[in-house]
Amino acid sequence: MNIRISKKLALYLRHAPEKIGLNLDEAGWADVEDILAALRITRAELDDVVATNDKQRFAFSEDGAKIRASQGHSIPVELDLPRQTPPAVLYHGTVARFLDAILRDGLRPMNRHHVHLSATIDTALKVGARRGKPVVLVVDAAAMDADGVPFWLSANGVWLTDHVPPRHLSRFR
């Protein structure tokens, strides 16, 4: 049940709130009561999904009255994350069929607001494995930061940036 609820939350909080008549504010927050009614779940079920989601995709507001996705939106939201200095190296998981385009054009957000980067190779491998045999790319985040490229860290530990130019990418192993 948690996986089903988690997938629905991801869909409605990141991509299609209108499908269930949900109103998100400019920062992507939805009223918890609206989510409970739309999904016909209890607060205990919602709390369990948020607490046990392996990717920690969702966050409650400080007062617990609102919920939002931590990142990955394809709809306009302003997460208002503070700019952060990234670690020297970050990683991106993908699959071989996308490599030529990535190495030519760099990493682009595509239908999302930001490029998603991982702090660990293991996480990048898991991300890439969702679409097939994973390929891990190494991102020279220190050089990008020195060039003035902004980075943000989402509530669930995903590093975000607007674009990773090809010159800052290399293939891991």
Side-chain angles (χ1 to χ4, degrees):
M1 164 102 91
N2 279 359
I3 292 173
R4 181 182 61 79
I5 295 170
S6 180
K7 286 184 179 201
K8 285 183 177 185
L9 279 175
L11 172 65
Y12 301 135
L13 293 176
R14 293 166 66 180
H15 309 296
E18 73 283 354
K19 285 191 174 186
I20 58 169
L22 192 61
N23 292 312
L24 304 182
D25 69 15
E26 64 280 348
W29 294 105
D31 287 332
V32 166
E33 293 301 320
D34 293 344
I35 288 283
L36 298 176
L39 297 183
R40 297 185 181 130
I41 60 173
T42 67
R43 178 62 192 242
E45 288 172 314
L46 182 62
D47 289 346
D48 187 52
V49 168
V50 172
T52 62
N53 183 270
D54 63 337
K55 296 176 185 151
Q56 295 296 293
R57 281 193 169 137
F58 314 107
F60 287 117
S61 59
E62 286 186 28
D63 65 2
K66 296 185 179 280
I67 186 173
R68 75 174 177 184
S70 296
Q71 94 290 321
H73 300 83
S74 61
I75 57 173
V77 297
E78 180 50 59
L79 296 176
D80 199 30
L81 299 171
R83 191 169 168 171
Q84 301 269 339
T85 300
V89 176
L90 290 167
Y91 304 94
H92 181 80
T94 189
V95 290
R97 70 179 176 272
F98 299 128
L99 270 181
D100 288 344
I102 291 171
L103 294 176
R104 181 186 64 242
D105 302 328
L107 290 169
R108 298 176 295 138
M110 306 308 280
N111 65 340
R112 306 265 173 103
H113 289 254
H114 297 102
V115 173
H116 295 187
L117 303 171
S118 305
T120 68
I121 295 167
D122 185 53
T123 301
L125 281 167
K126 289 177 186 172
V127 169
R130 292 187 309 210
R131 293 189 168 187
K133 185 178 178 190
V135 174
V136 173
L137 297 172
V138 179
V139 176
D140 186 350
M144 290 177 62
D145 186 54
D147 288 348
V149 175
F151 285 87
W152 303 273
L153 183 59
S154 71
N156 62 339
V158 175
W159 284 92
L160 308 171
T161 192
D162 294 325
H163 175 252
V164 178
R167 71 181 177 277
H168 294 300
L169 290 169
S170 60
R171 190 168 174 174
F172 179 74
R173 291 188 237 187

